[in-house]
Amino acid sequence: MAAEIVNHCSDSSTDQDGGAEPHDAFDPVFALHRGGKMAVQATVPLRDKDDLSLAYTPGVARVCTAIAERPELVHDYTWKSSVVAVVTDGTAVLGLGDIGPEASLPVMEGKAILFKQFGGVDAVPIALDCRGVDEIVETVARLAPSFGGVNLEDISAPRCFEIERRLQERLDIPVFHDDQHGTAVVTLAALRNAAKLTGRTLGDLRAVVSGAGAAGVAIAKMLVKAGIGDVAVADRKGVVSLDRDDLTQVKRELAGFTNKAGLTGSLEQALAGADVFIGVSGGTVAEEAVASMAENAFVFAMANPNPEVQPDVAHKYAAVVATGRSDYPNQINNVLAFPGIFAGALQVRASRITEGMKLAAADALAAVVGDDLAADYVIPSPFDERVAPAVTAAVAAAARAEGVARQ
């Protein structure tokens, strides 16, 4: 879709008012987006003066006074406990990169309607015209009283790590960077099922992750928490290892808990004998490197729109193939995770989303596949109506078990 948007916008015509219009005014993508994809809708009637006196003045003053006296009542008498802020600065939007806050809005609107469609959670897109870590943290913190949770979206690494950490330390509502944790949850769920399909456990597997940005770091952390045998992460300069002198603080920390085998060199070298390839970086992995992987390997090439390994190539050598695309089986799609994760957290008024809650979400998601497990079905469809309820229930239960639930 990124390429389509660029092509249409670059080849534009001028309408009678002098404004630029997409070259093909009947393009269904632009037709769907015209006027935006969402709106605010009242949940109470406003039919006459009696309704108005209850919903607004003078009746509303009684509710305001009650909340002022008992602040926790805000969850019961406003939408706070069921609404999420979807916040971006537009610096890492899809595969388009740094396109700015205005251009990010179609994605943020899309994220908001996914929250509603798949999790029953209201969400408000907020695109910020600031980029400094301090500015973003302060802005979001000041907005927080209106929301039950914050979904950080499409904020470039490494700033995204510090922004999430500082906001969660400052706020008593869940703060969740979906590019990191949503991707990791769905990847873990699919990997658990792939291992089960081939008679193995996570502990039997050695994985190689291509990409040391937000998603790659989070995937590595979650796989280690879940008990992976070993995982190495590669960036543009090769395997992230402690012998390198060019690592950022985030990558140095990453090197400290990954790569037990002490691998060095290129991504392709690390793939020799590996059981799992996980791609979250783009680019292309040579077929020879894929061929060098272990028998019954798994290839999760998740870059969009062009996977790091094309499925027809991956199927020559891998027992299970997954991508980030909806037109191939086994789509690793964050929408399988974030609506249910937030729904579960909001349901119990959790103060944060813990590692245990994320692991519970992955386990619940994997379990939805059940006895239908197959090479082309290690992860359910986003349209499987069992997904969101299963993830919601698991996350709510984990929040209670970990002591972060307040209801």
Side-chain angles (χ1 to χ4, degrees):
M1 187 172 75
E4 292 174 2
I5 291 175
V6 171
N7 288 340
H8 281 298
C9 290
S10 62
D11 184 10
S12 60
S13 58
T14 303
D15 63 19
Q16 294 179 349
D17 297 324
E21 284 286 333
H23 176 71
D24 181 359
F26 298 101
D27 185 308
V29 171
F30 285 90
L32 182 144
H33 283 77
R34 183 174 290 280
K37 299 192 291 287
M38 58 183 294
V40 175
Q41 181 175 339
T43 61
V44 297
L46 285 177
R47 298 162 299 197
D48 51 38
K49 65 182 182 62
D50 292 332
D51 288 342
L52 188 60
S53 69
L54 291 172
Y56 200 53
T57 185
V60 73
R62 292 170 55 193
V63 179
C64 293
T65 302
I67 294 171
E69 293 172 353
R70 294 177 54 196
E72 70 275 11
L73 292 179
V74 70
H75 296 282
D76 296 310
Y77 295 107
T78 73
W79 77 340
K80 180 180 174 74
S81 63
S82 62
V83 67
V84 169
V86 180
V87 179
T88 189
D89 64 353
T91 55
V93 181
L94 299 178
L96 303 175
D98 184 353
I99 60 175
E102 288 88 354
S104 76
L105 271 175
V107 179
M108 301 310 116
E109 287 182 3
K111 193 83 174 191
I113 64 175
L114 294 178
F115 265 111
K116 188 66 173 180
Q117 176 71 26
F118 295 106
V121 173
D122 288 303
V124 178
I126 298 175
L128 301 179
D129 188 16
C130 57
R131 299 190 175 202
V133 170
D134 291 342
E135 288 180 291
I136 292 174
V137 170
E138 188 63 28
T139 302
V140 176
R142 290 179 181 274
L143 290 168
S146 295
F147 300 99
V150 175
N151 182 98
L152 299 173
E153 190 76 17
D154 292 349
I155 298 173
S156 63
R159 295 174 312 125
C160 59
F161 302 112
E162 184 178 358
I163 289 168
E164 182 188 48
R165 178 185 60 79
R166 286 174 56 181
L167 280 171
Q168 189 60 85
E169 289 174 352
R170 184 164 171 176
L171 303 177
D172 66 347
I173 59 175
V175 179
F176 186 85
H177 185 213
D178 187 49
D179 300 324
Q180 294 182 58
H181 312 301
T183 306
V185 165
V186 183
T187 300
L188 174 59
L191 191 56
R192 281 199 187 282
N193 276 341
K196 180 179 178 181
L197 181 69
T198 56
R200 290 175 285 178
T201 67
L202 287 179
D204 298 324
L205 305 177
R206 177 171 73 84
V208 177
V209 178
S210 174
V217 171
I219 288 169
K221 285 182 178 179
M222 183 158 283
L223 293 183
V224 169
K225 290 274 187 184
I228 191 82
D230 195 11
V231 55
V233 182
D235 61 11
R236 291 182 180 86
K237 296 182 180 180
V239 175
V240 175
S241 56
L242 288 172
D243 65 323
R244 284 175 48 179
D245 59 6
D246 61 344
L247 300 180
T248 64
Q249 181 60 32
V250 170
K251 290 181 182 180
R252 182 154 294 280
E253 292 172 1
L254 178 66
F257 66 83
T258 60
N259 193 20
K260 292 188 294 187
L263 300 175
T264 58
S266 69
L267 167 71
E268 286 77 10
Q269 290 172 314
L271 281 176
D275 302 291
V276 185
F277 167 76
I278 298 171
V280 285
S281 65
T284 301
V285 176
E287 181 172 347
E288 293 77 11
V290 181
S292 74
M293 295 177 68
E295 187 178 358
N296 286 325
F298 311 139
V299 172
F300 290 7
M302 301 188 297
N304 262 323
N306 299 310
E308 294 89 347
V309 182
Q310 290 298 318
D312 59 336
V313 173
H315 279 295
K316 293 181 184 179
Y317 311 102
V320 176
V321 177
T323 72
R325 294 176 52 143
S326 59
D327 53 349
Y328 291 109
N330 296 328
Q331 183 190 17
I332 307 297
N333 190 331
N334 289 21
V335 75
L336 289 162
F338 70 81
I341 290 174
F342 267 99
L346 293 174
Q347 185 180 95
V348 298
R349 298 180 188 170
S351 59
R352 62 190 303 113
I353 293 172
T354 66
E355 292 300 316
M357 292 161 72
K358 289 181 279 187
L359 290 171
D363 290 345
L365 184 54
V368 169
V369 171
D371 294 336
D372 295 324
L373 182 62
D376 62 354
Y377 186 56
V378 297
I379 199 75
S381 163
F383 295 98
D384 188 325
E385 294 181 353
R386 300 171 296 171
V387 168
V391 174
T392 299
V395 169
R400 292 190 179 101
E402 300 214 329
V404 297
R406 291 174 288 195
Q407 148 170 318

